[in-house]
Amino acid sequence: MSKAGPKSRSVPAKVPGIYKADSVRDVAESLNIPNLSDIVASALASDVEYRIQQVVEEAARFMRHAKRTTLTTADIDQALRVLNIEPLYGHFPYNPPTFRRALPFPQMPTAGPVYFIEDEEIEFDRVRGEEKVALPKGVTWTAHWLAVEGVQPLIPENPPALPRESDPENATAKLAAGSGIPGSVFPPTPPSSDRPSPIQSAKQQPQQHIAVKQVLSRELQLYYTRLTSSLLPPTSDFAKRTAALASLRHDAGLSPLLPYLVRWVGQGVVDSLRSGSQSENDGKILEVLLDVIGALLDNQTLGVEPYLHQLLPSIFSILLHSSLPPSHAAHLRTTAANILSHLLTHYSTTYPGLSSRIVKTLIVGLIGEGKSRSTREGALRGLMGIGKEAVRQGLVKHQGAKVIGDECMPGESSQLVELVVDGFRLIHPPSTHAVALNADSGADASVVEELRAKLGEFFAERIMGDGAWARGILSDDDPPA
């Protein structure tokens, strides 16, 4: 019996995948790669199908973890990120695309259905009329005062304080010390007959509102009140005043308070000089206000430049006022002149016309008709604080010495006369061995005539005793070193 031959096995037909090789050829032709072989196209189609299956499996895991039964585009994006593949942008789960079936093509009836994403038509007028939604501010952090000198500010960051019963007068005083009193822009100042207290002003003007409350935080308002109340006499002592001036001179972060401090200084100067007959207390207040201006100019963290035009009138008012308190007049004018010198030294480069403007104002106060001797003294001190060229312009070129000399009595030796002589010494120092001018000689006669023309008879007689000094005053050149 013969054995039967081996049965031949039938080779199973290869089942095509989801991603066809024809799709690979279409992509290759779009990339200018023609004549792609069938083996390469099949291999690429199999790899693409494997990658798609891998992405779908990862996306299904996200779907199951989210306890959903519907796969979304967000799951696909998460799967691509897990596989270190850049996600597909422009597809959102909350705005799924709408597919529309295209009409059949008559020339190719055997072609399958074609779907496309229908674009939404947007009316331009409707878009213009919609309300713009502003983006909310991001999360930020800020610092706030937990307590200021043992007092907890009433701000949202701090817990609310327990209410305490107080009489109406004390409640009004607390509101005046803080930011809630109506009609009070400046802190408490000592009341006088022509300057009511802030509480009285608050009662007289209940319809106005404080400007500080709208701009400053509660911490800065409390700092402003404590600072100004520590500066003005007689309610402050020397230690508090020194600490307050040191705070103005060195503390950073006072820029929001700067316009209010400048206005407070200006109003304080006006109130002190308004009556015409100043008391000792007014003189002390003016000294403190000048110290405040100097401290503000010394603070390098403040941008004082935009407020110089508001500070200069206060400085000029003290410097050129005709009736300052006698015991404080010389010190006030000297301090104001030093502040002018400091101001020009630091800000003349920022404002090129500042120096000429200040010198012109002082020269008008020196030679102006009808000016008092106190005003001329203040103007001369201001010119001496600026420098010798400013003094030369005021005393010699504009004949300020002649104007002062014409108002002096023969042989007078007053403080103003000595100040003019000091100005001549600043222009040119006197010689060690003085040789008097001889009015009878030709060369000296012309110098004597020029002295009398520019300096006047009163000061020419004082300068004629030193010929080298007189020639140095009249000369525009600097003296030799």
Side-chain angles (χ1 to χ4, degrees):
M1 186 175 180
S2 62
K3 294 181 179 179
K7 295 180 179 180
S8 59
R9 292 183 178 180
S10 60
V11 179
K14 187 176 181 180
V15 180
I18 299 176
Y19 200 80
K20 308 294 183 181
D22 295 338
S23 301
V24 176
R25 291 192 185 94
D26 293 339
V27 175
E29 290 176 0
S30 66
L31 298 176
N32 295 326
I33 306 176
N35 302 324
L36 190 67
S37 63
D38 296 339
I39 299 176
V40 175
S42 300
L44 288 176
S46 301
D47 186 71
V48 170
E49 185 175 348
Y50 169 74
R51 300 297 179 186
I52 293 176
Q53 184 180 2
Q54 187 180 15
V55 172
V56 172
E57 287 180 357
E58 291 291 338
R61 291 179 184 177
F62 285 100
M63 180 189 68
R64 288 192 297 270
H65 280 288
K67 293 180 173 58
R68 284 185 282 104
T69 59
T70 303
L71 195 67
T72 63
T73 56
D75 299 329
I76 301 295
D77 288 340
Q78 296 294 340
L80 292 175
R81 286 190 174 93
V82 168
L83 297 174
N84 199 18
I85 304 173
E86 186 175 4
L88 300 176
Y89 301 104
H91 302 278
F92 305 100
Y94 51 83
N95 188 19
T98 302
F99 290 90
R100 182 179 178 183
R101 184 175 180 175
L103 296 175
F105 196 60
Q107 285 75 10
M108 297 182 65
T110 58
V114 177
Y115 297 89
F116 65 94
I117 299 177
E118 185 177 8
D119 294 333
E120 180 185 0
E121 294 183 0
I122 301 175
E123 297 180 3
F124 186 68
D125 294 336
R126 178 174 60 84
V127 175
R128 290 181 56 188
E130 289 180 352
E131 183 180 359
K132 305 297 185 298
V133 179
L135 294 177
K137 294 183 179 180
V139 179
T140 58
W141 63 273
T142 182
H144 69 92
W145 290 93
L146 180 61
V148 179
E149 294 187 2
V151 179
Q152 177 180 285
L154 297 178
I155 57 176
E157 290 80 3
N158 290 338
L162 296 177
R164 293 184 301 178
E165 296 182 357
S166 59
D167 58 313
E169 190 66 22
N170 292 337
T172 308
K174 290 181 180 179
L175 289 176
S179 63
I181 69 165
S184 175
V185 176
F186 305 107
T189 54
S192 61
S193 58
D194 58 341
R195 184 174 64 252
S197 65
I199 298 177
Q200 297 171 356
S201 300
K203 294 179 180 178
Q204 294 172 3
Q205 302 176 357
Q207 71 279 5
Q208 298 181 3
H209 296 280
I210 183 170
V212 181
K213 182 179 180 181
Q214 302 174 4
V215 180
L216 300 179
S217 64
R218 185 58 184 268
E219 295 91 341
L220 283 178
Q221 293 181 40
L222 183 58
Y223 174 86
Y224 174 77
T225 305
R226 295 292 179 86
L227 177 75
T228 50
S229 61
S230 300
L231 286 171
L232 290 183
T235 59
S236 63
D237 54 12
F238 179 77
K240 289 185 178 181
R241 193 179 309 130
T242 304
L245 291 175
S247 177
L248 285 178
R249 189 171 286 109
H250 301 292
D251 286 357
L254 300 180
S255 298
L257 281 177
L258 186 57
Y260 302 100
L261 290 173
V262 171
R263 185 180 177 186
W264 173 71
V265 169
Q267 187 65 35
V269 172
V270 171
D271 291 342
S272 298
L273 300 179
R274 181 181 299 168
S275 60
S277 57
Q278 283 71 38
S279 61
E280 292 295 322
N281 187 45
D282 291 330
K284 294 178 181 179
I285 292 177
L286 292 176
E287 289 182 358
V288 171
L289 295 178
L290 283 179
D291 292 338
V292 171
I293 296 176
L296 293 177
L297 295 176
D298 289 339
N299 196 330
Q300 300 298 325
T301 62
L302 299 179
V304 191
E305 291 87 349
Y307 303 96
L308 291 180
H309 67 286
Q310 300 180 30
L311 291 174
L312 282 175
S314 300
I315 300 173
F316 282 132
S317 297
I318 298 176
L319 186 64
L320 303 179
H321 199 266
S322 58
S323 57
L324 293 176
S327 58
H328 299 271
H331 177 70
L332 288 173
R333 292 192 174 96
T334 304
T335 305
N338 294 334
I339 291 176
L340 275 183
S341 176
H342 175 79
L343 190 145
L344 285 178
T345 302
H346 289 80
Y347 302 104
S348 59
T349 56
T350 306
Y351 296 99
L354 183 63
S355 178
S356 59
R357 173 187 170 188
I358 292 177
V359 172
K360 182 179 179 180
T361 304
L362 294 176
I363 290 177
V364 170
L366 179 65
I367 65 175
E369 184 178 358
K371 300 293 183 180
S372 63
R373 301 188 66 171
S374 300
T375 301
R376 301 189 197 280
E377 178 185 349
L380 184 54
R381 288 186 183 275
L383 293 173
M384 293 176 65
I386 296 175
K388 66 177 182 180
E389 289 303 322
V391 179
R392 187 192 300 275
Q393 290 186 21
L395 292 181
V396 181
K397 291 185 178 180
H398 292 85
Q399 300 182 0
K402 184 176 181 181
V403 173
I404 296 175
D406 293 342
E407 297 176 353
C408 295
M409 300 296 294
E412 180 180 342
S413 180
S414 60
Q415 184 177 1
L416 180 58
V417 173
E418 296 298 328
L419 193 61
V420 173
V421 176
D422 291 339
F424 290 146
R425 294 192 182 100
L426 181 61
I427 296 175
H428 192 280
S431 58
T432 307
H433 303 286
V435 178
L437 293 174
N438 187 4
D440 297 333
S441 64
D444 292 349
S446 60
V447 176
V448 172
E449 183 178 356
E450 187 178 1
L451 276 176
R452 291 172 176 171
K454 292 185 176 181
L455 306 184
E457 188 70 28
F458 183 83
F459 289 104
E461 295 295 332
R462 292 173 175 260
I463 305 299
M464 287 170 54
D466 191 340
W469 189 21
R471 291 184 176 89
I473 292 173
L474 298 176
S475 176
D476 292 337
D477 299 331
D478 293 336

